[in-house]
Amino acid sequence: MSRRMMLAGNWKMNKTISEAINLAVRLKYSCNSVNDRDIVLCPPYTSLKPVAETVKDSSIEVGAQNMHHQLSGPYTGEVSPEMITDAGADWVIIGHSERRQHFSEDNQLLHEKLATAAREEIKVIFCVGETEQQRDEGKVAEVLTSQLKETLSGLDHPDFVELVIAYEPVWAIGTGNTATPEQANQAHQLLRQVLADIFTAEIAGQIRILYGGSVKPHNAAQLLGQSDIDGALVGGASLAADDFTAIVKFDTEENISIVDF
Ligand code: PEP
């Protein structure tokens, strides 16, 4: 089963509007020859529309980093599904570990968000991953299984425009401690097995599973060369045009030339 490679950049709480436009312009030019893999940029809410407008005549797509599960209402400070699509987002990241950790997002809430994204026809990057302690205690399989089963059960895969899973071991995010290619691939195989239990083996074979956690230009090729790793969700290294471009073009000979703006 060949799955199209996907590289997504999670800019987190970084970049003003002008900085975001500048980065998007640089990536639009540096990645304009890339047509065999998908590129998704996930800026903060305030830069969704400017970034979407910047890349609209390219193959780069835009995603939000979160959204509320209700369509509208008295939820001060929150942003609805319609607001993000209106701003130009085709994708949304759901369940990032920073949201689970700092904003107490649990599997019940994430199930609601996934259901809403499916109903509102927003493509999803759904993040799962174990903490260091859970890995040390030998609970990787248990944690990953419950993170998928408790959130996706009750949802039909055809309900989603697209569902992408991101395996992001919490201990590897923003730490420089990357999972080894073998550790990551093993986790991806486990996730695919759980997806087969929830949906079907055929569907599980089609779902892209990204790796996230300190992906950098120097380790991208090894990680992305694994059989069950279908791309990367990149945090820190997606904030610099040359680093993210190098990751996007991880196995090409092409020279990376960044246009200065
Ligand atoms: C992330 O935030 O999704 C991430 C993978 O971050 P980093 O690449 O900085 O580890």
Side-chain angles (χ1 to χ4, degrees):
M1 160 68 55
S2 96
R3 295 171 292 265
R4 193 174 156 90
M5 193 59 68
M6 174 170 171
L7 294 310
N10 174 14
W11 297 358
K12 310 195 189 194
M13 197 173 71
N14 295 292
K15 306 288 179 193
T16 60
I17 292 173
S18 63
E19 289 167 347
I21 292 172
N22 186 281
L23 178 54
V25 168
R26 287 159 65 96
L27 291 171
K28 182 169 126 175
Y29 286 99
S30 60
C31 297
N32 72 349
S33 60
V34 177
N35 46 32
D36 59 344
R37 38 194 81 167
D38 294 336
I39 304 170
V40 180
L41 307 180
C42 303
Y45 289 137
T46 47
S47 294
L48 273 179
K49 192 173 175 67
V51 168
E53 281 174 353
T54 303
V55 300
K56 73 172 181 296
D57 52 351
S58 77
S59 61
I60 296 177
E61 292 185 296
V62 173
Q65 299 172 16
N66 180 35
M67 63 170 205
H68 200 269
H69 60 288
Q70 300 283 1
L71 300 187
S72 65
Y75 303 104
T76 303
E78 289 293 323
V79 171
S80 76
E82 186 185 15
M83 290 169 189
I84 64 168
T85 54
D86 184 49
D90 296 306
W91 290 86
V92 65
I93 298 174
I94 291 179
H96 193 282
S97 63
E98 287 156 11
R99 298 222 46 98
R100 293 178 193 254
Q101 187 186 343
H102 303 305
F103 301 94
S104 308
E105 294 196 357
D106 60 14
N107 288 343
Q108 174 60 37
L109 176 67
L110 297 175
H111 171 79
E112 299 293 333
K113 290 192 182 209
L114 288 164
T116 300
R119 262 196 318 273
E120 298 304 305
E121 301 185 351
I122 303 172
K123 298 189 242 184
V124 172
I125 300 172
F126 180 52
C127 303
V128 296
E130 80 286 355
T131 62
E132 186 166 29
Q133 189 182 343
Q134 288 165 335
R135 177 164 280 267
D136 290 346
E137 289 171 358
K139 293 186 176 155
V140 177
E142 186 189 324
V143 170
L144 297 182
T145 302
S146 67
Q147 284 178 340
L148 283 188
K149 287 205 164 162
E150 289 176 22
T151 52
L152 287 172
S153 296
L155 300 175
D156 277 339
H157 184 259
D159 291 347
F160 290 95
V161 180
E162 182 155 6
L163 174 66
V164 169
I165 306 296
Y167 169 58
E168 298 211 306
V170 178
W171 48 272
I173 296 180
T175 59
N177 298 328
T178 321
T180 64
E182 295 72 26
Q183 276 174 330
N185 204 44
Q186 224 174 34
H188 285 221
Q189 285 168 345
L190 177 110
L191 289 167
R192 208 175 293 290
Q193 186 52 54
V194 180
L195 290 168
D197 293 345
I198 298 171
F199 303 123
T200 65
E202 192 189 347
I203 288 171
Q206 292 161 2
I207 293 178
R208 292 186 282 187
I209 306 180
L210 314 183
Y211 169 77
S214 299
V215 175
K216 307 288 177 200
H218 72 86
N219 59 27
Q222 259 207 316
L223 285 159
L224 298 171
Q226 299 296 306
S227 61
D228 277 85
I229 301 185
D230 308 312
L233 179 55
V234 184
S238 71
L239 296 172
D242 47 1
D243 284 349
F244 191 60
T245 302
I247 293 169
V248 167
K249 297 181 175 176
F250 68 94
D251 60 352
T252 64
E253 295 295 315
E254 207 180 319
N255 279 338
I256 293 154
S257 64
I258 301 295
V259 185
D260 256 328
F261 289 89

